[in-house]
Amino acid sequence: MAVFLKSLKKSGHLEKVYITICNVGSRKVNQQDDYATQGWEIFAPRLNIYGFDADLDACDRANSDLKHRQVNWKEKHIPIALSNSVGLSTLYVTQHPMCSSLYPPNEIYLDRFTGLPELVNLDFSIEIETTTLDDVCITEKISEIDFLQIDVQGADLQVLEGASKILSKSVLTIQVEVEFSELYSNQPLFADVDIYLRKHGFTLFDLTKAYRRRRHSPIHSTVHPGQLLWGDAFYFRDLIEENLNTDLKNPETILKLACIADVLEFSDYALELLEYLTINYGDDPNYNFASDIIQSLSQFPELVDRGLNSLPIVQRIYKLSNLDSIE
C-alpha cells in the first residue's frame, strides 16, 4: 500500500503529475494484472496506459472490459509483438498461451521440474510480424513512458534493446521478468538484462523470486524451496545522485519518480525523494512536501509512540511545514 500518495492527492500535489505506463505482454490473467487494483488509479484522469501483446483476442478482451467499466483514464491494448527489430519472427505458442515466447521452450530441461511442462511445453508455432517499442512510440505518438513493465517469456531483453531511445528519453522505472536458467532455449538470462539496464542508468532495487522443485524428488528442503528459476526485477533511476548529468534531473520528474516508487511500495525511496525535493526546492510550494511527509508518517503507531519529533527526518523538514504542532 502506498504511504504518501493519499496525502499528496489531498494536498493537490498530484494535480500536475501525469503518469504513462507501458505494459509489454499485457495479457490479463487475473484481477491482479489490472493496474486499477494496484493503486495506479489515484493518478486518474492524468493516467495513460498502453498494453502490447501478440494475442489479438487477449487485447480485444482487455479493451472490451475497459469500455464496459468506463474507466476515467486512458488505456488501450494493441495487438503487436515487440522485439529488437522489424520483420518476421517465429512465435512458439505453448500449452498455456501466457507462456508463449519468441524462443522455443527448453522442454528437456523443463521436464525436470514440477508444474512447468504442463504450461510451457510447445503446442504449435506460427510466423508473426514484430516491431520495436521505439517505432511504436512514433506511430502511436507516445512521447514518454514513465513506468515500463515487460513480461514476454524470455524475450524481455529484445524488447529493451528495441526501446533504447525511449529508455534514454523518459523511462524512470522498469519491472521486467527475468530468468536465471534457460527455460527457453538460448534465451538471455538475468545477468544479460542487468548489464544492459545498468548501462542505461538503471539500478536494481529488488527481485521477486519463483522456485520450482525437482519433479521426481519425494523430498524438499524447508530452507531452500527448490531452484530459483525466474522472477520480476525492479529497476529505478537515481535522479538525486550527486554527479548525475541528465535532463531528467529536475523537480517535476523527481516528483513523478517518487510517486511511482510509492505506488510500487518502495516507500523508503519515495520518502528520500520527497525529502530531497522539500529541502532543495521547498521554497516553491509545488515541491514542498514537509506537511505531507509528517502527516503520512503519523499513520504508523510505532512512530507516533516514539514521538514524531524525535525522528531525524521530521527534525530536518518541520520548519518547512505548515503544521502548528506535531503530536
Side-chain angles (χ1 to χ4, degrees):
M1 179 182 296
V3 173
F4 304 101
L5 288 177
K6 185 176 180 180
S7 179
L8 294 176
K9 180 86 169 181
K10 185 177 180 180
S11 63
H13 280 115
L14 298 187
E15 291 181 0
K16 295 182 180 180
V17 176
Y18 289 80
I19 298 291
T20 299
I21 298 172
C22 176
N23 185 358
V24 184
S26 63
R27 169 192 295 274
K28 296 186 179 183
V29 178
N30 52 50
Q31 186 179 3
Q32 285 67 42
D33 293 327
D34 188 85
Y35 283 105
T37 68
Q38 302 172 29
W40 295 97
E41 76 283 357
I42 196 169
F43 301 108
R46 292 168 288 276
L47 175 64
N48 295 319
I49 301 173
Y50 298 92
F52 301 99
D53 200 284
D55 189 328
L56 173 62
D57 292 336
C59 291
D60 285 344
R61 286 193 299 270
N63 289 326
S64 295
D65 176 63
L66 291 164
K67 184 177 181 181
H68 173 73
R69 289 157 55 194
Q70 296 183 329
V71 298
N72 65 334
W73 63 86
K74 178 183 177 181
E75 179 174 351
K76 67 176 180 177
H77 294 258
I78 304 169
I80 294 177
L82 296 181
S83 183
N84 56 3
S85 62
V86 177
L88 289 176
S89 296
T90 300
L91 178 66
Y92 297 91
V93 181
T94 53
Q95 296 293 324
H96 195 300
M98 71 176 180
C99 298
S100 300
S101 176
L102 295 177
Y103 290 89
N106 189 355
E107 294 188 359
I108 294 176
Y109 186 66
L110 294 169
D111 192 53
R112 297 168 61 186
F113 298 94
T114 59
L116 291 185
E118 301 87 342
L119 298 174
V120 192
N121 278 5
L122 185 65
D123 187 7
F124 62 92
S125 61
I126 57 173
E127 294 297 304
I128 61 170
E129 292 185 0
T130 63
T131 186
T132 69
L133 183 55
D134 281 336
D135 283 353
V136 169
C137 286
I138 294 173
T139 58
E140 292 291 328
K141 298 181 180 179
I142 302 172
S143 60
E144 63 181 21
I145 294 171
D146 304 303
F147 174 52
L148 174 60
Q149 183 174 356
I150 308 174
D151 182 354
V152 289
Q153 306 300 310
D156 307 82
L157 179 57
Q158 287 181 247
V159 174
L160 290 167
E161 290 172 341
S164 59
K165 293 179 181 179
I166 196 69
L167 281 180
S168 300
K169 179 181 178 183
S170 68
V171 178
L172 302 176
T173 308
I174 298 172
Q175 178 181 344
V176 56
E177 186 179 66
V178 293
E179 282 81 28
F180 300 94
S181 294
E182 286 191 18
L183 305 183
Y184 300 89
S185 297
N186 299 315
Q187 69 163 107
L189 298 178
F190 164 70
D192 305 299
V193 173
D194 187 65
I195 290 171
Y196 183 84
L197 288 179
R198 288 184 184 276
K199 288 180 178 178
H200 281 78
F202 292 90
T203 300
L204 177 68
F205 268 52
D206 199 11
L207 277 169
T208 64
K209 302 170 186 177
Y211 299 84
R212 284 294 183 272
R213 300 196 303 269
R214 259 53 188 184
R215 175 182 292 275
H216 300 298
S217 175
I219 61 172
H220 65 275
S221 168
T222 57
V223 177
H224 301 289
Q227 182 176 338
L228 174 61
L229 292 180
W230 75 89
D232 274 359
F234 292 83
Y235 287 85
F236 285 85
R237 289 193 184 277
D238 183 1
L239 295 184
I240 61 175
E241 180 184 350
E242 183 177 357
N243 297 319
L244 185 66
N245 183 20
T246 173
D247 292 338
L248 294 173
K249 190 173 183 178
N250 60 75
E252 180 180 354
T253 306
I254 294 172
L255 172 57
K256 188 179 293 190
L257 178 61
C259 291
I260 296 171
D262 198 29
V263 78
L264 292 176
E265 300 191 54
F266 291 88
S267 53
D268 62 322
Y269 188 40
L271 177 54
E272 181 185 35
L273 295 168
L274 292 173
E275 181 193 11
Y276 174 89
L277 288 170
T278 300
I279 290 175
N280 290 278
Y281 299 94
D283 290 342
D284 182 343
N286 290 314
Y287 302 110
N288 185 330
F289 306 104
S291 299
D292 299 281
I293 291 171
I294 296 169
Q295 290 170 352
S296 297
L297 292 178
S298 69
Q299 301 174 75
F300 298 91
E302 64 274 20
L303 296 182
V304 175
D305 290 343
R306 285 170 53 188
L308 293 181
N309 286 319
S310 67
L311 300 177
I313 187 170
V314 173
Q315 294 171 0
R316 289 192 296 271
I317 65 174
Y318 175 66
K319 64 182 180 180
L320 297 172
S321 76
N322 57 16
L323 300 176
D324 295 329
S325 63
I326 303 175
E327 296 181 0

